[in-house]
Amino acid sequence: MNRRKDSFYHKAKNAGFRSRASFKILEIQEKFELLQEGDLVLEIGSSPGGWTQIIREITGETVVSVDVEKMEPIPGIIFIKSNVFNRELEGKLKEILAELGRDHFDAILSDAMVKTSGDRNIDHSSSYLLCRRVMELADEFLEQDGKAIVKQFQGDMTEEFFREWARKYRFKKKTTPKASRSGSSELYMIFAGKRKGRITHSQKA
Ligand SMILES: C[S@@+](CC[C@H](N)C(=O)[O-])C[C@H]1O[C@@H](n2cnc3c(N)ncnc32)[C@H](O)[C@@H]1O
């Protein structure tokens, strides 16, 4: 175990956070102040719930969290146990929005990742596909002016991915929090100020 992992792990435990990943969202929030009180957030890849705890604390609102693995309940959280690629997810999200009396989410956050294989190309490909799916959900479910944070394990398609989706948002940035494990290729893409209307693939090229 490296020393950095050790210190963040113990810090998270002492602070009552469910995971060391909590420090990443705290750092991103401190830097970009993306989330606001009252924001309705859709979170992808939420388990065990470290980010969820922080999001709920900042927004004070319902958080809709999705993970293929189970997650212990957190008050104020609607948890959907589902693979993000499951096409039934869209219907479920529409139902929840209707119950909440809303049309869209204010923010979509994704820390989703499969267990890393150690092979950077394989990890990049899995991560790329997850990110693309999350950004497609953002296209459909995010409010105009909405914001998104997506984690990607870097590789040869990262720059193109970033450029392509950045066109739909007025603010775009990449960041790597200190709490990321040393040697990890992960980065977080921050998008805010979603532009009005759909930008088609040909417009993006
Ligand atoms: C790094 S963990 C998230 C940690 C979380 N942000 C926290 O603070 O506790 C990544 C999560 O992504 C989930 N995940 C991976 N692939 C997924 C998929 N296709 N659909 C939904 N969740 C997925 C994993 O089950 C795992 O719980």
Side-chain angles (χ1 to χ4, degrees):
M1 189 187 287
N2 70 44
R3 220 187 273 153
R4 198 134 75 114
K5 174 184 172 188
D6 212 21
S7 88
F8 278 110
Y9 173 80
H10 289 295
K11 261 166 99 174
K13 258 194 136 174
N14 292 338
F17 297 150
R18 289 190 177 185
S19 72
R20 66 196 296 291
S22 303
F23 293 106
K24 300 182 197 173
I25 190 65
L26 278 172
E27 205 179 315
I28 292 170
Q29 175 67 8
E30 205 169 293
K31 203 162 167 185
F32 299 100
E33 295 183 346
L34 217 67
L35 297 177
Q36 308 292 328
E37 198 178 341
D39 277 352
L40 180 63
V41 176
L42 171 62
E43 185 198 11
I44 310 293
S46 58
S47 191
W51 278 37
T52 323
Q53 291 173 301
I54 306 291
I55 297 165
R56 168 74 182 174
E57 210 171 296
I58 296 168
T59 64
E61 249 294 351
T62 303
V63 183
V64 180
S65 301
V66 178
D67 202 295
V68 71
E69 300 292 343
K70 67 176 170 50
M71 186 165 96
E72 292 303 319
I74 297 177
I77 306 309
I78 299 173
F79 178 66
I80 308 173
K81 187 174 181 302
S82 167
N83 191 317
V84 72
F85 293 107
N86 186 342
R87 290 288 160 189
E88 283 163 25
L89 182 61
E90 275 94 330
K92 185 82 198 153
L93 291 175
K94 283 177 190 161
E95 269 173 36
I96 290 172
L97 282 171
E99 278 162 25
L100 295 172
R102 295 284 304 264
D103 293 328
H104 293 93
F105 290 94
D106 298 300
I108 296 186
L109 272 54
S110 172
D111 194 30
M113 183 54 190
V114 294
K115 219 173 167 16
T116 47
S117 69
D119 179 318
R120 285 196 174 226
N121 289 328
I122 292 172
D123 292 341
H124 171 55
S125 301
S126 322
S127 174
Y128 177 92
L129 293 174
L130 275 166
C131 290
R132 197 174 67 190
R133 171 70 170 143
V134 170
M135 294 310 289
E136 284 167 2
L137 288 175
D139 253 0
E140 184 172 357
F141 286 98
L142 203 54
E143 196 80 75
Q144 185 192 332
D145 270 336
K147 43 230 172 178
I149 300 176
V150 280
K151 172 168 76 179
Q152 185 164 127
F153 281 72
Q154 296 177 74
D156 53 9
M157 294 178 288
T158 298
E159 270 315 308
E160 192 189 325
F161 180 96
F162 182 70
R163 266 202 313 275
E164 184 175 320
W165 290 100
R167 297 184 60 149
K168 298 190 168 203
Y169 295 82
R170 285 192 298 279
F171 176 87
K172 42 260 176 175
K173 212 67 185 187
K174 287 175 276 179
T175 189
T176 305
K178 289 192 193 76
S180 289
R181 291 176 203 281
S182 69
S184 167
S185 65
E186 74 181 16
L187 64 73
Y188 290 82
M189 299 184 187
I190 319 286
F191 301 107
K194 185 184 174 202
R195 296 182 197 278
K196 199 174 171 191
R198 280 183 176 248
I199 296 176
T200 63
H201 225 72
S202 55
Q203 279 174 289
K204 279 189 262 159

